[in-house]
Amino acid sequence: MTRLLKAVYTIWLRDVIRFYREKTRIVGMLGQPLLYLLIMGTGLSSSFRMSWGPGEVSYLEFMYPGIIGMSVLFTSVFSAISIVWDREFGFLREVLVAPVPRWTMAIGKALGGSTIAMLQASILILVAPFIGVKLGPVMILQLLGMLFLIAFSLTSLGITVASKMETMEGFQMIMNFLVMPLFFLSGAMFPLRNVPPWMETLMRADPLTYGVDALRHIMYAASPARDFLVQFPLGTDLMVVTAMSLFFITAGTLAFNRTE
Amino acid sequence: MNIIEVRQLHKTYKNLTAVEDVTFEVGEREIFGFLGPNGAGKSTTIKMLATLVRPTSGTAIIDGHDIVSQPNRVRQAIGLVFQETTLDERLTAAENLSFHGMLYNVEKRTLARRMAEVLEMVELSDRKDARVKTYSGGMKRRLEIARGLIHYPRVLFLDEPTVGLDPQTRNRIWTYIRELRDREKLTIFMTTHYMDEAEHCDRIAIIDHGRIVALDTPANLKKMVGGDLITLRTPFRKEVKRFVEEKFNLAVQEPGDYLLMEVAGGESFIPVLAGELGGRIHSISLHRPTLDDVFLKLTGRDIREESANGRGALRSHMRWRR
């Protein structure tokens, strides 16, 4: 048992060390969501008024949890994609020949990606006061827990995709046809209301929708506008995200097992 | 005791037979070489033994463990150094080693001691905290060998360990390999397509088209080809030819403006010849049979060309003349 935990820990540690070694990656990963928040949030909220609710919720408040969800999505999927890099540069083989079962690799990788995604999201949580969102310590802990769950499921999804990829050429495809749709349909930028039925169906099928919804539940738990901001009960959100985590980590492990 | 026992190992990919019923044993503390051109099945064999590729049929026992049914035990008992680097270049050398130790479940205190030991051996102790991307090709290879040893393997597999390295680095790597065999009671299994490198092995299996065509010590393999060749240049070819044939009872050929003879123990024959002929000769040169010649004789092809064509025989003649 200790042997297996040690293997999971090793894979996790490597991802974390590599992350803090790369200062440009850290800057880039923090800069992107902050830019979205600053430019899109400010720009859109000055031209849009929330057409529903009591009118006391700003667009920025609506979008803020969505941007955190976005940063978790991007970071998680990119961390998982590093498997393809490892394959190209050979290190993956060092891991694949080690005398430990493959699932330890998949889990170590999923935990590594989740940790990095959470670190990044934590920094975004720090800007809450500037958005006008008040967060207590308990709320922050709940948020971190939720973020971890979302990140874990999305990294696992990324691992499943990455273990099928031989080269980085498919990377752009994944961005355009997986990551961006997941983001746009998640309700991060606009609510799941007043949209055509086909779109609503897609949004309901996007697992990230429930993650972002859960974040809003936690952030605006005390706000009178909460019921206007969220779309599903918190229980539904939690169940969907947990089920998604279990499903994708299983799929990721199986995909990893077949890698030669 | 044999540490590796290979039994009718066979690997077929769709319509290609990569390895065909290969059977051999490797003894403990032996340096065993797999010699053959690219695509002969060397890498496939090493991958099967390292449990990376499943054999189509047959199996092998390494340190008492079956490669098919006990892959994790086999993995723990072997160290692997591949042709292409498998280091994480963004991490330091020490981090690469310690991650390996953790994956192979080496106990913490043992690991620290072992890391210092292997780094010392490959002379990288002073660079251990530098990132691997700043290393030269030779340093990376040395680090990789060091990493393969972290978990005290019984057998070290080296796939083309010195390919692309300068001669000085190659010599150094060979020094480490022999040192390891002596100090760690390690068995070395390596593949190569460099003939001069195969000379370092205790025994060599020559592999071609997925089959072992010969297996013996380098000296015995070379005996298959015959004796040493002596080339003699002299203005008095006729006289000298007759003299040598009568005095030493040797067949002397005159393929061009020089004389050619085959003798056993050529290096001790040269002083005798020079003493007898004195100032009548311009030069004497000696060509000892190499593994190149062995490969050529066994397969009809030159290993360095890596492609068979009808000019093999002509080329061999050209090489005799050199």
Side-chain angles (χ1 to χ4, degrees):
Chain A
M1 192 58 204
T2 44
R3 175 185 196 122
L4 301 177
L5 286 178
K6 212 161 153 182
V8 172
Y9 171 70
T10 309
I11 304 293
W12 173 84
L13 186 63
R14 168 174 178 259
D15 267 21
V16 174
I17 289 181
R18 277 177 65 127
F19 175 72
Y20 77 66
R21 284 278 161 76
E22 277 174 73
K23 307 291 180 251
T24 49
R25 192 171 152 206
I26 301 179
V27 172
M29 277 178 28
L30 287 175
Q32 190 186 30
L34 286 175
L35 271 177
Y36 268 70
L37 203 57
L38 193 75
I39 296 173
M40 284 184 78
T42 316
L44 291 176
S45 51
S46 51
S47 49
F48 293 161
R49 188 138 304 134
M50 304 291 269
S51 58
W52 35 267
E56 58 199 40
V57 187
S58 75
Y59 178 69
L60 209 56
E61 283 172 272
F62 170 80
M63 183 188 163
Y64 176 55
I67 290 295
I68 296 179
M70 176 197 84
S71 91
V72 170
L73 169 71
F74 285 9
T75 312
S76 302
V77 175
F78 287 150
S79 299
I81 295 292
S82 69
I83 290 176
V84 185
W85 257 289
D86 286 345
R87 190 196 300 280
E88 279 197 19
F89 293 106
F91 182 79
L92 186 67
R93 194 176 246 184
E94 153 79 356
V95 174
L96 294 179
V97 299
V100 280
R102 296 272 171 92
W103 61 260
T104 57
M105 312 290 148
I107 291 187
K109 199 82 199 164
L111 290 175
S114 313
T115 306
I116 294 163
M118 268 177 62
L119 284 174
Q120 189 183 359
S122 315
I123 303 208
L124 286 175
I125 289 176
L126 291 180
V127 304
F130 302 100
I131 312 287
V133 178
K134 287 190 201 72
L135 296 173
V138 178
M139 233 183 240
I140 290 178
L141 283 178
Q142 287 173 329
L143 276 177
L144 288 178
M146 194 61 220
L147 285 168
F148 178 79
L149 203 58
I150 301 171
F152 189 83
S153 61
L154 292 170
T155 315
S156 308
L157 166 69
I159 291 170
T160 314
V161 176
S163 61
K164 299 275 176 241
M165 281 169 61
E166 293 285 322
T167 61
M168 286 312 296
E169 279 153 35
F171 183 72
Q172 201 59 40
M173 284 276 288
I174 291 187
M175 269 312 284
N176 288 337
F177 295 103
L178 183 76
V179 177
M180 293 316 275
L182 280 178
F183 168 52
F184 288 134
L185 292 169
S186 68
M189 307 287 284
F190 51 86
L192 182 54
R193 276 173 234 256
N194 312 323
V195 291
W198 63 267
M199 197 164 180
E200 192 180 328
T201 313
L202 284 178
M203 288 174 90
R204 281 178 182 276
D206 181 352
L208 190 61
T209 304
Y210 304 88
V212 170
D213 200 52
L215 293 179
R216 292 199 174 112
H217 260 291
I218 298 168
M219 263 186 206
Y220 302 113
S223 160
R226 187 192 74 175
D227 292 341
F228 297 96
L229 288 165
V230 300
Q231 275 151 338
F232 306 103
L234 185 58
T236 311
D237 292 337
L238 277 173
M239 256 168 54
V240 173
V241 179
T242 309
M244 182 170 89
S245 290
L246 291 175
F247 175 78
F248 285 129
I249 191 64
T250 310
T253 303
L254 291 177
F256 223 75
N257 270 335
R258 279 191 295 272
T259 303
E260 190 175 273
Chain B
M1 190 207 126
N2 292 324
I3 193 143
I4 304 179
E5 293 195 8
V6 181
R7 295 278 163 263
Q8 269 131 36
L9 206 58
H10 199 92
K11 181 70 188 178
T12 330
Y13 292 105
K14 280 170 196 156
N15 44 19
L16 175 94
T17 304
V19 175
E20 203 172 342
D21 283 329
V22 162
T23 297
F24 61 90
E25 295 91 32
V26 180
E28 227 168 329
R29 302 183 66 170
E30 196 173 4
I31 298 181
F32 187 89
F34 238 44
L35 177 71
N38 288 339
K42 294 178 308 225
S43 286
T44 310
T45 307
I46 221 170
K47 279 181 191 160
M48 284 193 282
L49 296 180
T51 76
L52 275 175
V53 169
R54 251 184 114 84
T56 311
S57 66
T59 190
I61 310 292
I62 296 179
D63 194 28
H65 310 296
D66 189 303
I67 58 159
V68 178
S69 60
Q70 301 168 292
N72 278 344
R73 298 207 166 199
V74 171
R75 287 169 178 209
Q76 189 73 44
I78 63 174
L80 283 168
V81 179
F82 295 105
Q83 250 176 81
E84 317 85 31
T85 173
T86 65
L87 296 162
D88 187 334
E89 305 208 339
R90 294 194 230 190
L91 297 180
T92 66
E95 283 164 346
N96 269 289
L97 295 182
S98 84
F99 283 180
H100 182 92
M102 285 158 75
L103 285 176
Y104 284 74
N105 201 26
V106 180
E107 192 261 326
K108 210 172 178 178
R109 231 170 286 153
T110 318
L111 178 59
R113 199 178 51 225
R114 182 62 165 172
M115 274 169 62
E117 201 174 280
V118 293
L119 281 168
E120 184 67 32
M121 191 195 89
V122 298
E123 297 160 79
L124 287 173
S125 303
D126 51 334
R127 296 290 306 272
K128 70 178 162 59
D129 293 319
R131 297 207 202 158
V132 176
K133 67 177 165 197
T134 66
Y135 276 30
S136 69
M139 288 164 78
K140 282 182 197 167
R141 203 65 58 91
R142 275 146 59 197
L143 178 61
E144 228 156 339
I145 292 177
R147 186 183 61 179
L149 297 168
I150 286 283
H151 58 286
Y152 299 93
R154 300 292 317 281
V155 183
L156 185 64
F157 285 91
L158 303 166
D159 193 8
E160 305 272 358
T162 62
V163 87
L165 298 181
D166 58 275
Q168 197 193 344
T169 314
R170 281 166 75 170
N171 283 337
R172 248 164 121 180
I173 285 181
W174 271 105
T175 313
Y176 305 142
I177 291 176
R178 274 190 296 267
E179 201 181 309
L180 276 170
R181 185 259 303 270
D182 299 336
R183 212 177 51 192
E184 309 232 336
K185 298 188 174 67
L186 198 66
T187 305
I188 317 275
F189 183 105
M190 59 173 299
T191 66
T192 183
H193 65 270
Y194 291 135
M195 293 293 174
D196 51 340
E197 196 159 272
E199 306 263 0
H200 293 281
C201 299
D202 297 323
R203 280 196 308 149
I204 302 167
I206 295 182
I207 185 164
D208 190 38
H209 296 304
R211 287 167 170 276
I212 291 181
V213 291
L215 196 166
D216 213 327
T217 61
N220 282 345
L221 286 172
K222 281 184 278 192
K223 276 185 200 150
M224 294 168 62
V225 197
D228 301 339
L229 283 168
I230 288 177
T231 307
L232 205 151
R233 285 178 195 279
T234 167
F236 315 102
R237 282 199 296 279
K238 285 224 158 58
E239 284 172 56
V240 171
K241 183 174 187 297
R242 202 179 319 128
F243 175 77
V244 174
E245 279 177 336
E246 280 165 16
K247 173 97 184 170
F248 300 104
N249 196 22
L250 281 174
V252 181
Q253 289 169 284
E254 198 180 335
D257 60 349
Y258 61 93
L259 299 176
L260 191 67
M261 61 206 84
E262 190 182 319
V263 290
E267 74 272 35
S268 50
F269 181 66
I270 288 178
V272 178
L273 201 61
E276 292 283 348
L277 297 170
R280 276 178 291 178
I281 40 179
H282 284 161
S283 70
I284 305 180
S285 65
L286 173 74
H287 174 87
R288 316 205 66 178
T290 63
L291 289 168
D292 280 293
D293 304 322
V294 178
F295 188 82
L296 184 72
K297 180 167 182 154
L298 287 167
T299 65
R301 286 178 295 122
D302 190 329
I303 194 167
R304 290 171 302 181
E305 303 296 326
E306 281 165 22
S307 68
N309 60 41
R311 288 160 67 195
L314 177 66
R315 253 201 322 269
S316 83
H317 181 68
M318 303 293 281
R319 283 189 306 114
W320 288 130
R321 292 182 54 168
R322 205 172 41 201

